[in-house]
Amino acid sequence: MNTIHLLPDIVANQIAAGEVIQRPASAVKELIENAIDAGATKIQLIIKDAGRTLIQVVDNGKGMNFTDARMCFERHATSKINTANDLYCLTTKGFRGEALASIAAIAQIELKTKRAEEETGTLIVTEGSQIKEHTPTATQDGTSFSIKNLFFNVPARRNFLKSDAVELGHIEEELNRLSLIHCDIEFSFYHNGKLMQQLPASNQKQRIINVFGAHFKDKLFPVELDTATVKITGFIAKPENAKKKKNEQYLFVNQRFVKHYLLTHAVETTYKELIPEGHKPAFFIEITVPPATIDINISPTKIDVKFQDDRMIYAFLNAAVKKTLGTLSLIPQIDFNYNPEHDFSGIKPKEVIKPPSLTLNPNYSPYSSKPEKKISTSDSWQQFLSGIKQETVAPQPAEPEKLVFAEEPKNTEEVIDEAQIKCLLFSDAYLVFLWNDLLHIVDVKAARERILFEHYLNALENAPIVIQQSMFPETITFSACAAEIVNDVLSELRTLGYELEQIDRTSFAVNGTPIDQKSSDIQQVIEQFVEMYKTHQFLHKTDKNSAIAKSLARQKCGSKLQITSEPEQQTFIKQWLHCQVRHISPSGKKVSKVLMNEEVHKLFE
Ligand code: ADP
Ligand code: MG
């Protein structure tokens, strides 16, 4: 009996689709690339549920006629190449003619397209590679592809998708990779009805700033080199802009985003002595070579590239970046006369300067029974805790002293406050102490996250945090997407002591901060906060206040806490004992281990 048989088309298509379309972001990439190849000057990306239910790309490109609209879903159907030789003079993004066939195999598609020179357009509806509808329709010039319910017939692939936040991140990244090299095209991006990104046609520098935020404005330096065999253009960021993550590294070859280990090394190595170990410089570099000297057909996603002579490109790129960094170091980086406290450069003539103001606690009484906490300037935890006391425990009005004959029963709060707890810091990470005759071991980092979370939640719901007004507000800037989120939580951030005021789409003035917050760190604090907030909102669908409190608490726990002195440890433990939920951190980590008598005895049996 013969055992070999041909796979049915539908199965073969689904298998092939796996190579091209791994996730919603892959479909976004293919559709936008097609729109670019169609000569569009305006591209709209509309996403629902991180691409799970809808990915729509609308372009004003040349459109397709009635027959082409049907043909485009066939495997190996392309208008871009005719012979294998054409592969070596590519000027288009697509050429394999398999993206639409792949998407059609695993989704429902609605295509509306019209060529400007024709009267009517075409509507096509497909489901799992089958054409369900193919009719003339009225529609605008250009093409609109709506991909609905991606992987609807391949549940196994659907299960491989990550959280919405992660998938949305991939989509954003694909859009960045395309928009950063096609600056003459206008892009807009909507997610669940909300405008996430609006990029007008511009030059590359402006595009980078529009994508990543105005803070790049003075930090980008041009890289340029033009030889007979290779042209290099683009921008590199100042060494001090280097980040731990690689996410601001963009290398393009002939207008195509590529990943190339060797060429990335050519750039990174020039920064070696200038940035801390593990940090990655930001760069946006385009390399242009004759199409015949590269092979882009190595992988179905076309993200890899092979050069005829990559050593030569390495040398040119390395030299070009070195040259720019060289000129940079000629500009003095450290100005010994510069005192940041006396920086008036940010003030424009005629600008109205806000006088510094103090927020007073009207309930404060100097006769309060609570001993006043000293604010040590060196220790932000002490400062932070004094902050808590100031805000949440409104001092009682002075009362005439009562004569007390018998001891009144105390509540737990008081017992905690008055307790003398002996503790020990172990391994720089755990506090060990006795409480209620039980041996407690507390993970400092997790406990700190718990304390901060409850503190922030309480602030959001009951007692706003005291704001220290800035005399000369700094400006902070974000990517358009991050700015959108900041805008969404402005009033909550204010309640938490961060008074931000939007200046333009991506920049905010920092008018006030909590007392324990160094103003120079605000950019980083809010940036990281937004990252975490995005995850909480999309991933866990937490309610707004807890998502905010959790994110800020997580952000604040990113740095190591120094609690070496006994009073610091005491205060810390008491804050933790006051928590409503003690034993688990808001991100689900175990905070404490409690050992009873018997358990300790058992250790010695
Ligand atoms: P490829 O891009 O490799 O040719 P695709 O499957 O992505 O393969 O697309 C098939 C064909 O459909 C393209 O060659 C092009 O002729 C046509 N096409 C796809 N998208 C568009 C669009 N947005 N506007 C006009 N034509 C398009
Ligand atoms: Mg294509």
PDB file of all heavy atoms in Angstrom, residues 301-332:
ATOM      1  N   THR A 301      10.674  35.879   6.194  1.00  0.00           N
ATOM      2  CA  THR A 301      10.300  37.174   6.753  1.00  0.00           C
ATOM      3  C   THR A 301      11.180  38.298   6.208  1.00  0.00           C
ATOM      4  O   THR A 301      10.949  39.464   6.512  1.00  0.00           O
ATOM      5  CB  THR A 301      10.399  37.166   8.287  1.00  0.00           C
ATOM      6  OG1 THR A 301      11.674  36.647   8.617  1.00  0.00           O
ATOM      7  CG2 THR A 301       9.321  36.343   8.924  1.00  0.00           C
ATOM      8  N   LYS A 302      12.172  37.960   5.442  1.00  0.00           N
ATOM      9  CA  LYS A 302      13.041  38.913   4.746  1.00  0.00           C
ATOM     10  C   LYS A 302      13.702  39.895   5.704  1.00  0.00           C
ATOM     11  O   LYS A 302      13.866  41.065   5.401  1.00  0.00           O
ATOM     12  CB  LYS A 302      12.237  39.679   3.677  1.00  0.00           C
ATOM     13  CG  LYS A 302      11.638  38.773   2.632  1.00  0.00           C
ATOM     14  CD  LYS A 302      10.672  39.515   1.751  1.00  0.00           C
ATOM     15  CE  LYS A 302       9.262  39.221   2.121  1.00  0.00           C
ATOM     16  NZ  LYS A 302       8.225  40.072   1.830  1.00  0.00           N
ATOM     17  N   ILE A 303      14.074  39.409   6.869  1.00  0.00           N
ATOM     18  CA  ILE A 303      14.651  40.301   7.873  1.00  0.00           C
ATOM     19  C   ILE A 303      16.170  40.125   7.919  1.00  0.00           C
ATOM     20  O   ILE A 303      16.895  40.905   8.505  1.00  0.00           O
ATOM     21  CB  ILE A 303      13.983  40.039   9.239  1.00  0.00           C
ATOM     22  CG1 ILE A 303      14.157  41.252  10.136  1.00  0.00           C
ATOM     23  CG2 ILE A 303      14.496  38.788   9.892  1.00  0.00           C
ATOM     24  CD1 ILE A 303      13.347  41.135  11.386  1.00  0.00           C
ATOM     25  N   ASP A 304      16.653  39.053   7.268  1.00  0.00           N
ATOM     26  CA  ASP A 304      18.097  38.815   7.217  1.00  0.00           C
ATOM     27  C   ASP A 304      18.615  39.255   5.869  1.00  0.00           C
ATOM     28  O   ASP A 304      17.892  39.243   4.877  1.00  0.00           O
ATOM     29  CB  ASP A 304      18.388  37.322   7.407  1.00  0.00           C
ATOM     30  CG  ASP A 304      17.844  36.823   8.717  1.00  0.00           C
ATOM     31  OD1 ASP A 304      18.341  37.275   9.754  1.00  0.00           O
ATOM     32  OD2 ASP A 304      16.887  36.015   8.699  1.00  0.00           O
ATOM     33  N   VAL A 305      19.889  39.609   5.852  1.00  0.00           N
ATOM     34  CA  VAL A 305      20.467  40.032   4.579  1.00  0.00           C
ATOM     35  C   VAL A 305      21.892  39.489   4.476  1.00  0.00           C
ATOM     36  O   VAL A 305      22.600  39.387   5.476  1.00  0.00           O
ATOM     37  CB  VAL A 305      20.438  41.577   4.461  1.00  0.00           C
ATOM     38  CG1 VAL A 305      21.208  42.238   5.566  1.00  0.00           C
ATOM     39  CG2 VAL A 305      20.964  42.032   3.120  1.00  0.00           C
ATOM     40  N   LYS A 306      22.243  39.072   3.261  1.00  0.00           N
ATOM     41  CA  LYS A 306      23.612  38.596   3.043  1.00  0.00           C
ATOM     42  C   LYS A 306      24.286  39.568   2.086  1.00  0.00           C
ATOM     43  O   LYS A 306      23.733  39.893   1.037  1.00  0.00           O
ATOM     44  CB  LYS A 306      23.558  37.191   2.431  1.00  0.00           C
ATOM     45  CG  LYS A 306      24.482  36.260   3.165  1.00  0.00           C
ATOM     46  CD  LYS A 306      24.284  34.789   2.993  1.00  0.00           C
ATOM     47  CE  LYS A 306      24.333  34.200   1.626  1.00  0.00           C
ATOM     48  NZ  LYS A 306      23.791  32.831   1.623  1.00  0.00           N
ATOM     49  N   PHE A 307      25.462  40.060   2.473  1.00  0.00           N
ATOM     50  CA  PHE A 307      26.199  40.975   1.592  1.00  0.00           C
ATOM     51  C   PHE A 307      27.254  40.183   0.832  1.00  0.00           C
ATOM     52  O   PHE A 307      27.803  39.204   1.359  1.00  0.00           O
ATOM     53  CB  PHE A 307      26.932  42.030   2.432  1.00  0.00           C
ATOM     54  CG  PHE A 307      26.029  43.012   3.094  1.00  0.00           C
ATOM     55  CD1 PHE A 307      25.530  42.774   4.378  1.00  0.00           C
ATOM     56  CD2 PHE A 307      25.673  44.188   2.452  1.00  0.00           C
ATOM     57  CE1 PHE A 307      24.702  43.679   5.001  1.00  0.00           C
ATOM     58  CE2 PHE A 307      24.846  45.109   3.075  1.00  0.00           C
ATOM     59  CZ  PHE A 307      24.344  44.856   4.351  1.00  0.00           C
ATOM     60  N   GLN A 308      27.570  40.663  -0.367  1.00  0.00           N
ATOM     61  CA  GLN A 308      28.652  40.019  -1.094  1.00  0.00           C
ATOM     62  C   GLN A 308      29.949  40.164  -0.302  1.00  0.00           C
ATOM     63  O   GLN A 308      30.737  39.245  -0.199  1.00  0.00           O
ATOM     64  CB  GLN A 308      28.821  40.708  -2.457  1.00  0.00           C
ATOM     65  CG  GLN A 308      28.566  39.780  -3.599  1.00  0.00           C
ATOM     66  CD  GLN A 308      28.443  40.567  -4.903  1.00  0.00           C
ATOM     67  OE1 GLN A 308      29.061  41.627  -5.095  1.00  0.00           O
ATOM     68  NE2 GLN A 308      27.640  40.041  -5.795  1.00  0.00           N
ATOM     69  N   ASP A 309      30.126  41.351   0.292  1.00  0.00           N
ATOM     70  CA  ASP A 309      31.366  41.576   1.018  1.00  0.00           C
ATOM     71  C   ASP A 309      31.051  42.273   2.338  1.00  0.00           C
ATOM     72  O   ASP A 309      31.095  43.497   2.442  1.00  0.00           O
ATOM     73  CB  ASP A 309      32.283  42.457   0.143  1.00  0.00           C
ATOM     74  CG  ASP A 309      33.648  42.631   0.781  1.00  0.00           C
ATOM     75  OD1 ASP A 309      33.835  42.189   1.935  1.00  0.00           O
ATOM     76  OD2 ASP A 309      34.531  43.204   0.122  1.00  0.00           O
ATOM     77  N   ASP A 310      30.708  41.508   3.355  1.00  0.00           N
ATOM     78  CA  ASP A 310      30.269  42.177   4.583  1.00  0.00           C
ATOM     79  C   ASP A 310      31.428  42.781   5.380  1.00  0.00           C
ATOM     80  O   ASP A 310      31.240  43.698   6.148  1.00  0.00           O
ATOM     81  CB  ASP A 310      29.355  41.298   5.441  1.00  0.00           C
ATOM     82  CG  ASP A 310      29.885  39.913   5.656  1.00  0.00           C
ATOM     83  OD1 ASP A 310      31.064  39.707   5.385  1.00  0.00           O
ATOM     84  OD2 ASP A 310      29.091  39.052   6.092  1.00  0.00           O
ATOM     85  N   ARG A 311      32.652  42.284   5.148  1.00  0.00           N
ATOM     86  CA  ARG A 311      33.825  42.869   5.835  1.00  0.00           C
ATOM     87  C   ARG A 311      33.990  44.331   5.415  1.00  0.00           C
ATOM     88  O   ARG A 311      34.285  45.187   6.226  1.00  0.00           O
ATOM     89  CB  ARG A 311      35.113  42.118   5.479  1.00  0.00           C
ATOM     90  CG  ARG A 311      35.086  40.679   5.874  1.00  0.00           C
ATOM     91  CD  ARG A 311      35.792  40.467   7.197  1.00  0.00           C
ATOM     92  NE  ARG A 311      35.021  39.526   7.996  1.00  0.00           N
ATOM     93  CZ  ARG A 311      35.027  39.483   9.317  1.00  0.00           C
ATOM     94  NH1 ARG A 311      35.718  40.361   9.991  1.00  0.00           N
ATOM     95  NH2 ARG A 311      34.323  38.592   9.971  1.00  0.00           N
ATOM     96  N   MET A 312      33.780  44.563   4.135  1.00  0.00           N
ATOM     97  CA  MET A 312      33.965  45.922   3.631  1.00  0.00           C
ATOM     98  C   MET A 312      32.893  46.852   4.229  1.00  0.00           C
ATOM     99  O   MET A 312      33.177  47.948   4.696  1.00  0.00           O
ATOM    100  CB  MET A 312      33.870  45.915   2.108  1.00  0.00           C
ATOM    101  CG  MET A 312      34.027  47.290   1.501  1.00  0.00           C
ATOM    102  SD  MET A 312      33.505  47.305  -0.200  1.00  0.00           S
ATOM    103  CE  MET A 312      31.750  47.140  -0.073  1.00  0.00           C
ATOM    104  N   ILE A 313      31.641  46.365   4.246  1.00  0.00           N
ATOM    105  CA  ILE A 313      30.563  47.189   4.803  1.00  0.00           C
ATOM    106  C   ILE A 313      30.852  47.450   6.282  1.00  0.00           C
ATOM    107  O   ILE A 313      30.644  48.557   6.786  1.00  0.00           O
ATOM    108  CB  ILE A 313      29.188  46.489   4.653  1.00  0.00           C
ATOM    109  CG1 ILE A 313      28.974  45.975   3.237  1.00  0.00           C
ATOM    110  CG2 ILE A 313      28.057  47.382   5.110  1.00  0.00           C
ATOM    111  CD1 ILE A 313      28.498  46.976   2.249  1.00  0.00           C
ATOM    112  N   TYR A 314      31.339  46.417   6.972  1.00  0.00           N
ATOM    113  CA  TYR A 314      31.677  46.552   8.397  1.00  0.00           C
ATOM    114  C   TYR A 314      32.666  47.707   8.573  1.00  0.00           C
ATOM    115  O   TYR A 314      32.476  48.603   9.403  1.00  0.00           O
ATOM    116  CB  TYR A 314      32.296  45.251   8.908  1.00  0.00           C
ATOM    117  CG  TYR A 314      32.642  45.273  10.384  1.00  0.00           C
ATOM    118  CD1 TYR A 314      31.796  44.670  11.309  1.00  0.00           C
ATOM    119  CD2 TYR A 314      33.799  45.878  10.868  1.00  0.00           C
ATOM    120  CE1 TYR A 314      32.096  44.675  12.662  1.00  0.00           C
ATOM    121  CE2 TYR A 314      34.113  45.904  12.219  1.00  0.00           C
ATOM    122  CZ  TYR A 314      33.255  45.293  13.108  1.00  0.00           C
ATOM    123  OH  TYR A 314      33.538  45.310  14.453  1.00  0.00           O
ATOM    124  N   ALA A 315      33.719  47.695   7.765  1.00  0.00           N
ATOM    125  CA  ALA A 315      34.775  48.706   7.901  1.00  0.00           C
ATOM    126  C   ALA A 315      34.228  50.113   7.634  1.00  0.00           C
ATOM    127  O   ALA A 315      34.507  51.051   8.383  1.00  0.00           O
ATOM    128  CB  ALA A 315      35.907  48.383   6.945  1.00  0.00           C
ATOM    129  N   PHE A 316      33.404  50.237   6.608  1.00  0.00           N
ATOM    130  CA  PHE A 316      32.840  51.556   6.275  1.00  0.00           C
ATOM    131  C   PHE A 316      31.923  52.059   7.391  1.00  0.00           C
ATOM    132  O   PHE A 316      31.989  53.213   7.801  1.00  0.00           O
ATOM    133  CB  PHE A 316      32.051  51.486   4.964  1.00  0.00           C
ATOM    134  CG  PHE A 316      32.932  51.584   3.740  1.00  0.00           C
ATOM    135  CD1 PHE A 316      32.744  50.732   2.658  1.00  0.00           C
ATOM    136  CD2 PHE A 316      33.939  52.544   3.654  1.00  0.00           C
ATOM    137  CE1 PHE A 316      33.541  50.826   1.518  1.00  0.00           C
ATOM    138  CE2 PHE A 316      34.742  52.651   2.514  1.00  0.00           C
ATOM    139  CZ  PHE A 316      34.536  51.779   1.451  1.00  0.00           C
ATOM    140  N   LEU A 317      31.080  51.161   7.868  1.00  0.00           N
ATOM    141  CA  LEU A 317      30.118  51.569   8.896  1.00  0.00           C
ATOM    142  C   LEU A 317      30.848  51.973  10.171  1.00  0.00           C
ATOM    143  O   LEU A 317      30.560  53.003  10.793  1.00  0.00           O
ATOM    144  CB  LEU A 317      29.130  50.420   9.157  1.00  0.00           C
ATOM    145  CG  LEU A 317      28.072  50.674  10.210  1.00  0.00           C
ATOM    146  CD1 LEU A 317      27.225  51.881   9.838  1.00  0.00           C
ATOM    147  CD2 LEU A 317      27.146  49.456  10.371  1.00  0.00           C
ATOM    148  N   ASN A 318      31.818  51.148  10.543  1.00  0.00           N
ATOM    149  CA  ASN A 318      32.599  51.406  11.735  1.00  0.00           C
ATOM    150  C   ASN A 318      33.291  52.771  11.627  1.00  0.00           C
ATOM    151  O   ASN A 318      33.255  53.577  12.564  1.00  0.00           O
ATOM    152  CB  ASN A 318      33.614  50.269  11.876  1.00  0.00           C
ATOM    153  CG  ASN A 318      34.365  50.354  13.179  1.00  0.00           C
ATOM    154  OD1 ASN A 318      35.507  50.796  13.197  1.00  0.00           O
ATOM    155  ND2 ASN A 318      33.724  49.957  14.263  1.00  0.00           N
ATOM    156  N   ALA A 319      33.855  53.036  10.467  1.00  0.00           N
ATOM    157  CA  ALA A 319      34.565  54.306  10.275  1.00  0.00           C
ATOM    158  C   ALA A 319      33.595  55.486  10.338  1.00  0.00           C
ATOM    159  O   ALA A 319      33.891  56.521  10.947  1.00  0.00           O
ATOM    160  CB  ALA A 319      35.288  54.278   8.933  1.00  0.00           C
ATOM    161  N   ALA A 320      32.421  55.313   9.737  1.00  0.00           N
ATOM    162  CA  ALA A 320      31.450  56.415   9.697  1.00  0.00           C
ATOM    163  C   ALA A 320      30.980  56.779  11.105  1.00  0.00           C
ATOM    164  O   ALA A 320      30.872  57.963  11.450  1.00  0.00           O
ATOM    165  CB  ALA A 320      30.267  56.016   8.824  1.00  0.00           C
ATOM    166  N   VAL A 321      30.701  55.770  11.914  1.00  0.00           N
ATOM    167  CA  VAL A 321      30.212  56.043  13.273  1.00  0.00           C
ATOM    168  C   VAL A 321      31.329  56.656  14.115  1.00  0.00           C
ATOM    169  O   VAL A 321      31.113  57.610  14.869  1.00  0.00           O
ATOM    170  CB  VAL A 321      29.656  54.747  13.924  1.00  0.00           C
ATOM    171  CG1 VAL A 321      29.269  54.983  15.359  1.00  0.00           C
ATOM    172  CG2 VAL A 321      28.460  54.241  13.132  1.00  0.00           C
ATOM    173  N   LYS A 322      32.553  56.106  13.943  1.00  0.00           N
ATOM    174  CA  LYS A 322      33.701  56.644  14.693  1.00  0.00           C
ATOM    175  C   LYS A 322      33.886  58.123  14.381  1.00  0.00           C
ATOM    176  O   LYS A 322      34.155  58.922  15.264  1.00  0.00           O
ATOM    177  CB  LYS A 322      34.968  55.901  14.278  1.00  0.00           C
ATOM    178  CG  LYS A 322      35.331  54.790  15.222  1.00  0.00           C
ATOM    179  CD  LYS A 322      36.733  54.310  14.936  1.00  0.00           C
ATOM    180  CE  LYS A 322      36.975  53.026  15.697  1.00  0.00           C
ATOM    181  NZ  LYS A 322      37.781  52.092  14.960  1.00  0.00           N
ATOM    182  N   LYS A 323      33.714  58.448  13.123  1.00  0.00           N
ATOM    183  CA  LYS A 323      33.915  59.843  12.704  1.00  0.00           C
ATOM    184  C   LYS A 323      32.925  60.745  13.458  1.00  0.00           C
ATOM    185  O   LYS A 323      33.299  61.783  14.000  1.00  0.00           O
ATOM    186  CB  LYS A 323      33.711  59.955  11.198  1.00  0.00           C
ATOM    187  CG  LYS A 323      34.138  61.285  10.640  1.00  0.00           C
ATOM    188  CD  LYS A 323      34.088  61.271   9.127  1.00  0.00           C
ATOM    189  CE  LYS A 323      33.440  62.534   8.622  1.00  0.00           C
ATOM    190  NZ  LYS A 323      32.549  62.324   7.500  1.00  0.00           N
ATOM    191  N   THR A 324      31.674  60.337  13.500  1.00  0.00           N
ATOM    192  CA  THR A 324      30.669  61.163  14.191  1.00  0.00           C
ATOM    193  C   THR A 324      30.985  61.265  15.682  1.00  0.00           C
ATOM    194  O   THR A 324      30.950  62.348  16.257  1.00  0.00           O
ATOM    195  CB  THR A 324      29.261  60.576  13.987  1.00  0.00           C
ATOM    196  OG1 THR A 324      29.024  60.498  12.595  1.00  0.00           O
ATOM    197  CG2 THR A 324      28.210  61.417  14.646  1.00  0.00           C
ATOM    198  N   LEU A 325      31.318  60.136  16.300  1.00  0.00           N
ATOM    199  CA  LEU A 325      31.629  60.179  17.729  1.00  0.00           C
ATOM    200  C   LEU A 325      32.865  61.031  17.978  1.00  0.00           C
ATOM    201  O   LEU A 325      32.970  61.711  18.990  1.00  0.00           O
ATOM    202  CB  LEU A 325      31.842  58.761  18.266  1.00  0.00           C
ATOM    203  CG  LEU A 325      30.576  57.945  18.485  1.00  0.00           C
ATOM    204  CD1 LEU A 325      30.918  56.519  18.910  1.00  0.00           C
ATOM    205  CD2 LEU A 325      29.675  58.583  19.537  1.00  0.00           C
ATOM    206  N   GLY A 326      33.780  60.979  17.038  1.00  0.00           N
ATOM    207  CA  GLY A 326      35.000  61.782  17.142  1.00  0.00           C
ATOM    208  C   GLY A 326      34.686  63.258  17.172  1.00  0.00           C
ATOM    209  O   GLY A 326      35.144  63.992  18.051  1.00  0.00           O
ATOM    210  N   THR A 327      33.834  63.691  16.260  1.00  0.00           N
ATOM    211  CA  THR A 327      33.505  65.118  16.242  1.00  0.00           C
ATOM    212  C   THR A 327      32.759  65.493  17.509  1.00  0.00           C
ATOM    213  O   THR A 327      32.881  66.600  18.009  1.00  0.00           O
ATOM    214  CB  THR A 327      32.634  65.490  15.026  1.00  0.00           C
ATOM    215  OG1 THR A 327      31.625  64.519  14.916  1.00  0.00           O
ATOM    216  CG2 THR A 327      33.423  65.546  13.751  1.00  0.00           C
ATOM    217  N   LEU A 328      32.014  64.548  18.021  1.00  0.00           N
ATOM    218  CA  LEU A 328      31.257  64.814  19.254  1.00  0.00           C
ATOM    219  C   LEU A 328      32.185  65.107  20.418  1.00  0.00           C
ATOM    220  O   LEU A 328      31.937  65.999  21.213  1.00  0.00           O
ATOM    221  CB  LEU A 328      30.443  63.579  19.621  1.00  0.00           C
ATOM    222  CG  LEU A 328      29.004  63.548  19.204  1.00  0.00           C
ATOM    223  CD1 LEU A 328      28.387  62.259  19.668  1.00  0.00           C
ATOM    224  CD2 LEU A 328      28.291  64.727  19.813  1.00  0.00           C
ATOM    225  N   SER A 329      33.269  64.320  20.499  1.00  0.00           N
ATOM    226  CA  SER A 329      34.126  64.496  21.661  1.00  0.00           C
ATOM    227  C   SER A 329      34.908  65.798  21.577  1.00  0.00           C
ATOM    228  O   SER A 329      35.531  66.215  22.538  1.00  0.00           O
ATOM    229  CB  SER A 329      35.050  63.290  21.814  1.00  0.00           C
ATOM    230  OG  SER A 329      35.878  63.241  20.692  1.00  0.00           O
ATOM    231  N   LEU A 330      34.890  66.422  20.389  1.00  0.00           N
ATOM    232  CA  LEU A 330      35.541  67.724  20.288  1.00  0.00           C
ATOM    233  C   LEU A 330      34.707  68.785  21.004  1.00  0.00           C
ATOM    234  O   LEU A 330      35.201  69.785  21.485  1.00  0.00           O
ATOM    235  CB  LEU A 330      35.714  68.128  18.821  1.00  0.00           C
ATOM    236  CG  LEU A 330      36.695  67.262  18.024  1.00  0.00           C
ATOM    237  CD1 LEU A 330      36.732  67.704  16.586  1.00  0.00           C
ATOM    238  CD2 LEU A 330      38.090  67.346  18.642  1.00  0.00           C
ATOM    239  N   ILE A 331      33.419  68.532  21.081  1.00  0.00           N
ATOM    240  CA  ILE A 331      32.541  69.450  21.812  1.00  0.00           C
ATOM    241  C   ILE A 331      32.710  69.091  23.282  1.00  0.00           C
ATOM    242  O   ILE A 331      32.538  67.935  23.651  1.00  0.00           O
ATOM    243  CB  ILE A 331      31.064  69.209  21.418  1.00  0.00           C
ATOM    244  CG1 ILE A 331      30.925  69.243  19.906  1.00  0.00           C
ATOM    245  CG2 ILE A 331      30.132  70.177  22.092  1.00  0.00           C
ATOM    246  CD1 ILE A 331      29.680  68.535  19.416  1.00  0.00           C
ATOM    247  N   PRO A 332      33.062  70.059  24.137  1.00  0.00           N
ATOM    248  CA  PRO A 332      33.263  69.669  25.540  1.00  0.00           C
ATOM    249  C   PRO A 332      32.001  69.055  26.129  1.00  0.00           C
ATOM    250  O   PRO A 332      30.916  69.622  25.990  1.00  0.00           O
ATOM    251  CB  PRO A 332      33.628  70.975  26.230  1.00  0.00           C
ATOM    252  CG  PRO A 332      33.448  72.051  25.234  1.00  0.00           C
ATOM    253  CD  PRO A 332      33.260  71.465  23.895  1.00  0.00           C
TER     254      PRO A 332
END
